[in-house]
Amino acid sequence: MFFIKKIFLFFKRELKLFFRNIVSIFSNILFFFLSIFIFVFALGADEQNLKSIGLGIIWSLLVLSSTLSLRKFYEEDFNNGVLVIIHMRGISYELIVFLKILSHFLFVQVPFLISIPVASLLFNLPIYEVYNLIFTFIIGSLILSCLSSMSASMNLLNKANFSIGGIIVLLFSVPVIIFSVGINEVDSDFKSLINILIGMALIFLGISPWASAAFIKLALRNK
Amino acid sequence: MFFIKKIFLFFKRELKLFFRNIVSIFSNILFFFLSIFIFVFALGADEQNLKSIGLGIIWSLLVLSSTLSLRKFYEEDFNNGVLVIIHMRGISYELIVFLKILSHFLFVQVPFLISIPVASLLFNLPIYEVYNLIFTFIIGSLILSCLSSMSASMNLLNKANFSIGGIIVLLFSVPVIIFSVGINEVDSDFKSLINILIGMALIFLGISPWASAAFIKLALRNK
Amino acid sequence: MFGFLINPSKFNKFADIILKPLILLCSVILIAGLILVYLSPLDYQQGLTVKIMYIHVPSAWLALLTYSIMTIYSVIGIAFKMPFSFIVNKAVAPIGAVFTLICLISGSLWGKPIWGTWWVWDARLTSVAILLLIYLIIIFLDKTFENKEVREKTTAIFILIGSVNLPIIKFSVDWWNTLHQPASVSKLSSPSIDISMLQPLLVMTIAFSLIGLIIAILRIKAEILIRKNR
Amino acid sequence: MLLINNLSFFRDDNIIFENLNLSLGNGQITQIRGKNGSGKTTFLKVILNILSSNTGEIIWEGQNVKKNIFKFYNEITYIADHNTSSRELSILDNIKFWKGLSSSNLSDDKIFSLLETFNLKKYLNTEIMYLSSGEVKKLELLRIVLEQKKIWVLDEPYNHLDDSSAEILNQTFVDHTNNNGIILFASHYNPLISKLEILDFN
Amino acid sequence: MLLINNLSFFRDDNIIFENLNLSLGNGQITQIRGKNGSGKTTFLKVILNILSSNTGEIIWEGQNVKKNIFKFYNEITYIADHNTSSRELSILDNIKFWKGLSSSNLSDDKIFSLLETFNLKKYLNTEIMYLSSGEVKKLELLRIVLEQKKIWVLDEPYNHLDDSSAEILNQTFVDHTNNNGIILFASHYNPLISKLEILDFN
Ligand code: HEM
Ligand SMILES: Nc1ncnc2c1ncn2[C@@H]1O[C@H](COP(=O)(O)OP(=O)(O)OP(=O)(O)O)[C@@H](O)[C@H]1O
Ligand SMILES: Nc1ncnc2c1ncn2[C@@H]1O[C@H](COP(=O)(O)OP(=O)(O)OP(=O)(O)O)[C@@H](O)[C@H]1O
Ligand SMILES: [Mg+2]
Ligand SMILES: [Mg+2]
């Protein structure tokens, strides 16, 4: 009972902090639309063309914007010691990581969901593609949150090179993208691809709390 | 004499902060290449398509990297008071802003330039497009640095309405990009478009130090 | 007997014995290979450009081989906590990166006259490009962490995960239809390539491997020395 | 009873402290003094298992704390030497968060009266970043009362405090030792507490 | 001679201080004391024109400082109550930066001996984030000597310092006043300086 209350409190804090930084969310979404416009202009508005690449653009922008928020993941709470205080109140680092991943998913990735229907409109995507997109997006962005968590915790240990975390996120998101975009190809087997994606998400959800927590503990030791 | 030395020192510090070691320079470039890969995977590798997309990809990565570094612009130096200390040593806020814009341009945007020729190869861009790209890119990224400076300084005010202002400033990058991308359209008048771009850059270089400095002073007053 | 493969001091002894003969052998084979390449026939379609093959194919094979070696050593390193394997990984990664780079550049140079373009985004080429990125990330990872233990473990795990890319490179020509040549030399059954081209190719491959091996031995020795002095 | 046996900590190859023994009985208050960089903060972190010791063990109620670290944490409040409240949240938000996390059952009235004594009540809805340095510190110190734990570990608690707040802190310390609490803090300040024991780190 | 005439500062509608008069002659050292939140830090910032006063003026050598703020700044060193050195750069990098900015002609030998007396020399190439809190503060305080200015304005300079460092700081203060320097600092600590004048903010 107390434990659930603690978790609830954790989310409440994240939510509040999120609303303090609502600007950066907006600027992420703005960046998103801006890039779409850029592509449309660069390509010239050939309708058929646009339709075929709309999905790809949305996905790659999603991936890039997750690397955007990498530093926000743990850095502040780690530097001012909040992570330790929370841990000392009985929440293991693994759980903290898990909660952080969830709140990153909820407060950073999901707001993107809102922009997808609008973006799809811009590209005249057929309705079933939009459904697919939203569906794969939910799973894919969960995977991305896990990846971000791992890279962000890795960055805590390394005080010199911040892009390496982003690079690793990008590298591992290659297969995610291939599968997610592949789902909308005409001749692809929707169900098995979705299953692969869900499988990946579960694996990452299983691995990343342990990996991230290990990095965080090590980083605390070297702090 | 002393003054020039101070400016030189300022750049040295920015350089050190930005590239704590040589690896991070390379990994920034690697990051750009991986992002290109991500786009290609997501968009599907239809050759004809790619040629026209290349430009869009490179430009949207540029915009992304500007929004990425928005928070790095002033926030840290503002919060721990370094801005005040530098100011008290005889450098006006306007000049500080100007130097910050230059160093953002040099250390964030220019490393991009290196990757453009290789990226153009990957997209099989014709050689005159590459020239155009590099040329417009230099001017365009300078404009983006000015815009980022303004919206970053607005964000320091930490009041919701101003933060929205910061986003609106970023919206100004839309015309910049439209012009820059438009230059490569077959039927466009290269020279007059370039002139428009240069004009915009000069205007922004003139405005943004004053505007940013004004916002910084206001923010200091409310700190 | 094969202790030198996992034990630093044994490796040092073995390396001291073998290094000089190896260098000699390597120079002989390299010269022989270059002569054979010079004498090899021109392709009736491709003309002189076919000689790029004698650089391209060996470096491609060695890029793959180097990564496989790193994968094996990573497994050993993680499973048996053998510090020597991390030394090998660190020493060998840049060599593999260079081979990959040579493969990419020579392939590009070859592609321009043959395919009419420097670069196409097909499965083979893309996966090799990704191999290069993976090599670079491995090198960078080694320079980012201050803590030695973290550095070595993370790198090893990363190498393992990255090895997924190897079969993709190898079988990309079979799985997807691409512009690139399917396996003709390295087919298990019978190589479908003229003997006059096969000979210089094999000799060049051996020469390339020996060069890689010599550099690797030197780098490993240096790394062992650095660690001893710390 | 908190026992510290033979504790050593090295950073890379530098000895920060070595073979330290200490026993903290109920009702005991101990101050760590020592030069800057002598390892006080590090010592506190090692006791809390944030850093792990190279040799030695920490024993709480007859059991090595590493056996069941959460049981140990459940008895401890740690106040670091820097601000750990979220700068972008208000005093009230921070207090609610801490209170919930520590499952404390302090009544709201009690909390408000605490805020009152520390002159913080008027800032209840102010974000931490708009407070003066002493006010931030006092908010931080509020946690020792809020969390209702037995062992208090504090790092430089007197910094930034004005005289009357330092007085209140002294009083709180005395009350806690009278209730059989255990207090360990590092500071350069000389508080007027009669039972105070000193651990010298020079 | 620094003259403060009739200075007031309001934050929104709260009066932080009002109608303050103060004159700081050469060789004078003044401590501001007062409760937490009484406005000491704010007062220092107003004097430095970081915040601008609502009424009143600050006069330096017969001239309102706002007339030529850089001339005034060129005589001042300000040490804030928090770390202003770049956490990610080494001690040496930070010192070089400050020294260059203030066009100081202090010799390198002198700087090294200063670092030596503060026990910091061995950390010359260590990043600030790896230092203990007192070491960071001492590095910060180094600026008063490094910049060679006439007026020193310091906010809580004694925090985090151990006894011997505080002693050195006292000595530095006394030397500076003997050289006709002007010192104004806010602190809750009672340093043993004979000429010390107190400005009470309660
Ligand atoms: C940048 C472009 C290229 C890359 C990255 C690349 C990569 C590779 C790789 C990795 C292999 C080894 C495959 C294996 O062991 O199965 C290989 C083999 C080979 N490549 Fe390329 N290649 C490129 C361009 C070309 C071009 C333009 C040609 C000529 C038309 C070519 C002809 C060959 C041949 C004949 C082999 C030997 C195949 C065999 O017998 O196994 N490659 N290439
Ligand atoms: N940025 C700010 N915005 C709004 N109010 C502020 C801000 N900074 C300080 N205050 C308020 O102004 C008052 C004076 O703060 P100041 O920092 O000057 O106090 P102080 O005397 O230095 O206290 P301390 O001894 O705690 O350092 C306090 O009540 C504080 O809450
Ligand atoms: N994260 C770190 N990495 C490396 N060295 C560190 C780190 N933190 C502290 N040190 C070093 O360890 C030593 C002890 O530091 P510690 O913070 O424990 O000192 P302290 O006694 O608390 O000093 P102070 O009185 O200044 O707070 C110092 O020499 C410091 O430079
Ligand atoms: Mg300390
Ligand atoms: Mg203050």
Side-chain angles (χ1 to χ4, degrees):
Chain A
M1 198 34 232
F2 269 139
F3 203 68
I4 293 180
K5 205 184 145 205
K6 283 182 190 175
I7 290 173
F8 172 73
L9 266 166
F10 188 96
F11 275 115
K12 208 167 142 194
R13 175 171 173 272
E14 292 281 323
L15 186 69
K16 280 204 178 121
L17 285 175
F18 161 76
F19 275 117
R20 297 276 333 178
N21 285 324
I22 194 120
V23 188
S24 55
I25 303 294
F26 276 127
S27 55
N28 277 4
I29 292 177
L30 180 77
F31 152 74
F32 180 70
F33 279 107
L34 213 58
S35 317
I36 289 177
F37 279 122
I38 295 170
F39 274 106
V40 174
F41 277 107
L43 291 175
D46 173 357
E47 230 178 286
Q48 204 43 48
N49 243 347
L50 279 181
K51 209 177 251 172
S52 64
I53 55 175
L55 202 65
I57 293 179
I58 292 175
W59 261 102
S60 43
L61 292 178
L62 167 68
V63 172
L64 285 176
S65 71
S66 342
T67 60
L68 256 162
S69 49
L70 264 190
R71 296 195 71 181
K72 266 186 271 171
F73 224 106
Y74 297 110
E75 205 173 72
E76 208 171 304
D77 284 350
F78 175 81
N79 280 339
N80 65 15
V82 177
L83 280 184
V84 174
I85 303 282
I86 295 175
H87 175 63
M88 286 183 67
R89 292 287 64 87
I91 305 181
S92 70
Y93 286 117
E94 284 79 11
L95 185 56
I96 294 180
V97 170
F98 185 74
L99 296 176
K100 275 269 179 187
I101 290 175
L102 278 189
S103 60
H104 182 260
F105 174 67
L106 288 177
F107 304 138
V108 180
Q109 312 275 40
V110 167
F112 250 116
L113 267 181
I114 301 158
S115 51
I116 285 187
V118 184
S120 321
L121 259 180
L122 291 177
F123 290 119
N124 288 317
L125 292 186
I127 195 79
Y128 73 91
E129 268 198 22
V130 178
Y131 282 138
N132 285 358
L133 181 61
I134 291 179
F135 201 69
T136 51
F137 181 91
I138 293 177
I139 305 172
S141 59
L142 192 57
I143 299 180
L144 281 178
S145 292
C146 294
L147 277 172
S148 310
S149 158
M150 283 199 265
S151 310
S153 58
M154 227 175 79
N155 270 349
L156 294 180
L157 263 170
N158 126 253
K159 306 260 156 70
N161 180 3
F162 293 113
S163 352
I164 193 90
I167 290 174
I168 286 179
V169 171
L170 288 185
L171 185 76
F172 283 122
S173 53
V174 169
V176 178
I177 282 209
I178 289 178
F179 285 119
S180 308
V181 173
I183 278 179
N184 273 324
E185 308 261 289
V186 263
D187 53 347
S188 64
D189 178 2
F190 180 78
K191 225 166 157 192
S192 67
L193 278 176
I194 276 283
N195 281 341
I196 292 179
L197 266 185
I198 292 179
M200 285 209 272
L202 289 179
I203 290 175
F204 275 118
L205 265 181
I207 293 175
S208 58
W210 304 103
S212 293
F215 280 126
I216 289 176
K217 283 178 203 162
L218 262 166
L220 280 172
R221 212 142 288 175
N222 292 313
K223 201 187 170 187
Chain B
M1 197 37 232
F2 270 139
F3 203 67
I4 292 180
K5 207 182 142 205
K6 282 181 191 177
I7 290 175
F8 172 74
L9 266 166
F10 188 95
F11 275 116
K12 209 167 141 196
R13 174 170 173 274
E14 293 281 320
L15 185 69
K16 277 204 181 123
L17 283 175
F18 194 77
F19 299 122
R20 230 84 63 56
N21 58 26
I22 190 98
V23 178
S24 58
I25 301 180
F26 284 116
S27 44
N28 273 355
I29 294 173
L30 191 62
F31 183 89
F32 297 140
F33 277 111
L34 256 172
S35 327
I36 290 176
F37 271 71
I38 293 283
F39 272 108
V40 173
F41 280 121
L43 295 178
D46 173 358
E47 223 185 300
Q48 204 41 50
N49 247 347
L50 274 180
K51 207 175 255 174
S52 51
I53 295 176
L55 210 62
I57 292 181
I58 292 174
W59 269 101
S60 55
L61 282 177
L62 171 67
V63 177
L64 170 78
S65 75
S66 321
T67 54
L68 242 165
S69 45
L70 211 54
R71 297 193 72 184
K72 268 189 270 173
F73 226 108
Y74 297 110
E75 206 173 69
E76 209 172 301
D77 284 351
F78 176 80
N79 280 338
N80 65 15
V82 177
L83 280 184
V84 173
I85 302 281
I86 294 175
H87 175 61
M88 284 182 67
R89 293 285 63 86
I91 304 180
S92 70
Y93 286 117
E94 284 78 10
L95 185 56
I96 294 180
V97 169
F98 186 72
L99 295 176
K100 276 265 180 191
I101 290 176
L102 276 190
S103 60
H104 182 261
F105 174 66
L106 288 177
F107 306 140
V108 180
Q109 315 274 42
V110 166
F112 234 153
L113 269 180
I114 302 162
S115 53
I116 286 187
V118 185
S120 321
L121 249 181
L122 292 178
F123 293 120
N124 289 310
L125 292 188
I127 194 78
Y128 74 90
E129 267 196 23
V130 179
Y131 283 137
N132 285 357
L133 182 59
I134 291 179
F135 202 70
T136 50
F137 184 90
I138 294 176
I139 305 171
S141 58
L142 191 58
I143 299 179
L144 279 180
S145 292
C146 293
L147 286 172
S148 310
S149 158
M150 282 200 266
S151 68
S153 57
M154 272 172 135
N155 278 344
L156 291 181
L157 283 164
N158 226 318
K159 303 244 163 71
N161 46 342
F162 278 106
S163 315
I164 302 297
I167 290 175
I168 289 171
V169 169
L170 275 186
L171 269 178
F172 281 114
S173 54
V174 173
V176 177
I177 286 161
I178 292 177
F179 280 121
S180 309
V181 174
I183 276 179
N184 274 325
E185 309 260 290
V186 264
D187 53 348
S188 64
D189 177 2
F190 180 78
K191 223 163 157 198
S192 66
L193 278 175
I194 277 283
N195 281 342
I196 292 179
L197 266 186
I198 293 180
M200 284 209 273
L202 288 179
I203 291 174
F204 277 119
L205 263 181
I207 294 175
S208 59
W210 304 103
S212 292
F215 286 124
I216 290 176
K217 284 179 202 162
L218 251 172
L220 281 171
R221 211 142 288 174
N222 290 315
K223 199 186 168 186
Chain C
M1 190 187 149
F2 290 112
F4 67 89
L5 284 178
I6 44 176
N7 181 318
S9 52
K10 279 184 190 163
F11 176 86
N12 259 342
K13 261 186 225 141
F14 182 75
D16 287 338
I17 301 169
I18 203 175
L19 197 56
K20 268 187 198 135
L22 213 55
I23 292 175
L24 197 71
L25 185 68
C26 175
S27 6
V28 171
I29 294 183
L30 186 62
I31 290 167
L34 289 176
I35 292 172
L36 279 177
V37 168
Y38 181 73
L39 294 176
S40 68
L42 297 182
D43 192 279
Y44 70 97
Q45 267 181 331
Q46 304 182 8
L48 201 59
T49 46
V50 77
K51 300 210 170 173
I52 294 177
M53 178 175 77
Y54 305 113
I55 294 174
H56 172 75
V57 177
S59 51
W61 284 344
L62 282 171
L64 298 178
L65 181 68
T66 312
Y67 201 96
S68 320
I69 293 173
M70 286 166 61
T71 310
I72 294 168
Y73 270 111
S74 299
V75 173
I76 296 174
I78 292 172
F80 304 108
K81 302 214 160 50
M82 209 95 68
F84 183 67
S85 49
F86 301 123
I87 296 178
V88 174
N89 280 347
K90 188 181 172 190
V92 151
I95 302 175
V98 170
F99 278 133
T100 316
L101 195 62
I102 295 175
C103 167
L104 277 169
I105 291 174
S106 60
S108 271
L109 290 177
W110 204 358
K112 187 65 185 175
I114 301 295
W115 303 334
T117 161
W118 301 103
W119 186 260
V120 282
W121 290 94
D122 81 351
R124 164 63 61 88
L125 273 61
T126 311
S127 52
V128 175
I130 285 192
L131 180 69
L132 178 65
L133 296 180
I134 290 178
Y135 269 127
L136 290 179
I137 292 174
I138 291 169
I139 296 170
F140 288 167
L141 270 182
D142 203 81
K143 298 209 178 348
T144 38
F145 295 113
E146 285 140 37
N147 184 304
K148 179 171 143 250
E149 200 184 329
V150 184
R151 194 197 316 143
E152 293 177 340
K153 262 216 185 116
T154 317
T155 315
I157 291 175
F158 184 79
I159 291 173
L160 280 186
I161 299 174
S163 65
V164 174
N165 195 30
L166 288 186
I168 295 181
I169 294 177
K170 182 74 201 159
F171 299 113
S172 51
V173 272
D174 306 332
W175 292 347
W176 294 279
N177 55 340
T178 80
L179 279 179
H180 194 278
Q181 198 94 354
S184 47
V185 184
S186 55
K187 263 194 309 198
L188 285 178
S189 50
S190 57
S192 55
I193 182 172
D194 191 77
I195 190 77
S196 61
M197 285 177 156
L198 187 61
Q199 259 174 354
L201 185 59
L202 290 182
V203 178
M204 279 305 276
T205 307
I206 296 171
F208 266 54
S209 337
L210 288 180
I211 295 173
L213 185 64
I214 290 168
I215 299 174
I217 288 175
L218 290 174
R219 283 183 57 89
I220 293 172
K221 279 183 63 137
E223 183 66 22
I224 292 174
L225 248 175
I226 291 172
R227 292 199 182 200
K228 228 182 240 160
N229 291 343
R230 194 159 287 153
Chain D
M1 179 84 160
L2 184 65
L3 268 178
I4 288 151
N5 276 341
N6 204 30
L7 210 63
S8 317
F9 183 79
F10 315 121
R11 226 181 243 288
D12 302 325
D13 290 326
N14 299 324
I15 300 171
I16 306 289
F17 54 85
E18 204 171 21
N19 299 335
L20 237 152
N21 294 296
L22 186 68
S23 90
L24 302 171
N26 291 354
Q28 199 171 322
I29 173 166
T30 311
Q31 175 178 16
I32 307 175
R33 311 203 91 225
K35 285 205 307 274
N36 290 135
S38 57
K40 303 179 293 299
T41 302
T42 312
F43 179 60
L44 295 182
K45 283 187 180 167
V46 172
I47 291 183
L48 295 174
N49 205 33
I50 296 169
L51 299 171
S52 50
S53 57
N54 296 63
T55 73
E57 50 186 8
I58 301 140
I59 290 167
W60 169 244
E61 289 181 345
Q63 201 185 26
N64 188 327
V65 297
K66 285 193 183 170
K67 282 267 167 60
N68 191 346
I69 190 71
F70 284 124
K71 191 181 144 215
F72 180 53
Y73 282 163
N74 200 25
E75 307 270 4
I76 283 203
T77 291
Y78 168 53
I79 311 287
D81 60 347
H82 56 264
N83 172 33
T84 57
S85 32
S86 309
R87 276 172 51 80
E88 299 177 337
L89 297 183
S90 69
I91 290 192
L92 194 62
D93 286 337
N94 274 296
I95 288 182
K96 273 191 198 156
F97 181 62
W98 291 330
K99 190 178 164 225
L101 276 189
S102 56
S103 330
S104 133
N105 47 22
L106 211 65
S107 73
D108 282 359
D109 286 351
K110 190 76 205 303
I111 292 176
F112 284 138
S113 81
L114 271 170
L115 284 171
E116 192 69 60
T117 50
F118 266 166
N119 258 326
L120 288 176
K121 198 161 169 201
K122 55 190 163 187
Y123 300 124
L124 212 53
N125 290 311
T126 309
E127 282 85 9
I128 309 300
M129 60 180 152
Y130 298 125
L131 297 179
S132 84
S133 55
E135 287 159 351
V136 173
K137 189 78 194 178
K138 289 192 284 191
L139 175 64
E140 196 71 5
L141 286 170
L142 213 70
R143 272 213 341 261
I144 55 177
V145 188
L146 200 66
E147 300 189 346
Q148 300 183 303
K149 306 296 179 193
K150 178 159 185 172
I151 312 174
W152 294 354
V153 176
L154 307 97
D155 202 353
E156 318 237 17
Y158 290 96
N159 269 355
H160 297 286
L161 292 190
D162 59 17
D163 298 343
S164 66
S165 307
E167 201 45 58
I168 296 174
L169 184 62
N170 283 342
Q171 196 50 49
T172 317
F173 280 175
V174 171
D175 290 351
H176 190 57
T177 54
N178 290 341
N179 290 331
N180 271 329
I182 300 174
I183 303 175
L184 176 65
F185 69 96
S187 177
H188 302 290
Y189 178 83
N190 296 315
L192 284 170
I193 298 173
S194 54
K195 295 197 286 181
L196 191 66
E197 289 170 44
I198 306 275
L199 176 67
D200 200 332
F201 246 65
N202 281 330
Chain E
M1 179 82 161
L2 185 66
L3 268 179
I4 288 151
N5 276 343
N6 203 29
L7 210 63
S8 317
F9 183 80
F10 315 121
R11 225 182 243 290
D12 302 326
D13 289 329
N14 298 325
I15 300 170
I16 307 288
F17 53 85
E18 204 171 23
N19 299 335
L20 237 152
N21 294 295
L22 186 68
S23 90
L24 302 171
N26 291 353
Q28 198 170 324
I29 173 167
T30 311
Q31 175 177 18
I32 308 175
R33 311 202 91 227
K35 285 205 309 271
N36 291 135
S38 58
K40 302 179 293 300
T41 301
T42 311
F43 179 58
L44 295 182
K45 284 187 179 167
V46 171
I47 290 184
L48 296 174
N49 206 33
I50 297 170
L51 300 171
S52 49
S53 57
N54 297 63
T55 72
E57 52 188 6
I58 302 139
I59 289 167
W60 168 245
E61 290 182 342
Q63 202 185 25
N64 189 327
V65 298
K66 284 194 184 169
K67 283 267 166 58
N68 189 347
I69 191 73
F70 284 124
K71 191 179 146 217
F72 180 53
Y73 280 163
N74 200 24
E75 308 269 3
I76 283 203
T77 291
Y78 169 53
I79 311 286
D81 59 348
H82 56 265
N83 171 35
T84 56
S85 32
S86 309
R87 274 172 51 80
E88 300 173 341
L89 297 183
S90 69
I91 290 194
L92 193 63
D93 286 338
N94 274 297
I95 288 183
K96 272 191 197 153
F97 182 62
W98 291 330
K99 191 179 163 224
L101 276 190
S102 57
S103 330
S104 131
N105 47 23
L106 211 65
S107 75
D108 282 359
D109 287 349
K110 190 75 207 303
I111 293 176
F112 284 138
S113 80
L114 273 170
L115 284 170
E116 192 69 62
T117 49
F118 267 166
N119 258 324
L120 288 176
K121 198 162 170 203
K122 55 189 162 186
Y123 300 124
L124 211 55
N125 291 310
T126 309
E127 281 86 10
I128 309 301
M129 59 182 151
Y130 298 124
L131 297 179
S132 83
S133 55
E135 287 159 352
V136 173
K137 189 76 195 183
K138 288 193 282 192
L139 176 65
E140 196 72 5
L141 286 171
L142 214 69
R143 269 209 348 257
I144 54 177
V145 188
L146 200 67
E147 299 188 346
Q148 301 183 302
K149 305 296 180 193
K150 180 158 186 172
I151 312 174
W152 294 355
V153 176
L154 306 97
D155 203 353
E156 317 237 17
Y158 290 95
N159 269 353
H160 296 286
L161 292 190
D162 58 18
D163 298 343
S164 65
S165 307
E167 200 46 56
I168 297 174
L169 185 62
N170 283 342
Q171 195 51 50
T172 317
F173 279 176
V174 170
D175 289 351
H176 190 57
T177 52
N178 290 341
N179 290 332
N180 270 331
I182 300 174
I183 303 175
L184 176 67
F185 69 96
S187 178
H188 302 291
Y189 178 84
N190 295 316
L192 283 172
I193 297 173
S194 54
K195 296 197 287 182
L196 191 68
E197 290 171 42
I198 305 275
L199 176 67
D200 200 334
F201 246 67
N202 281 331

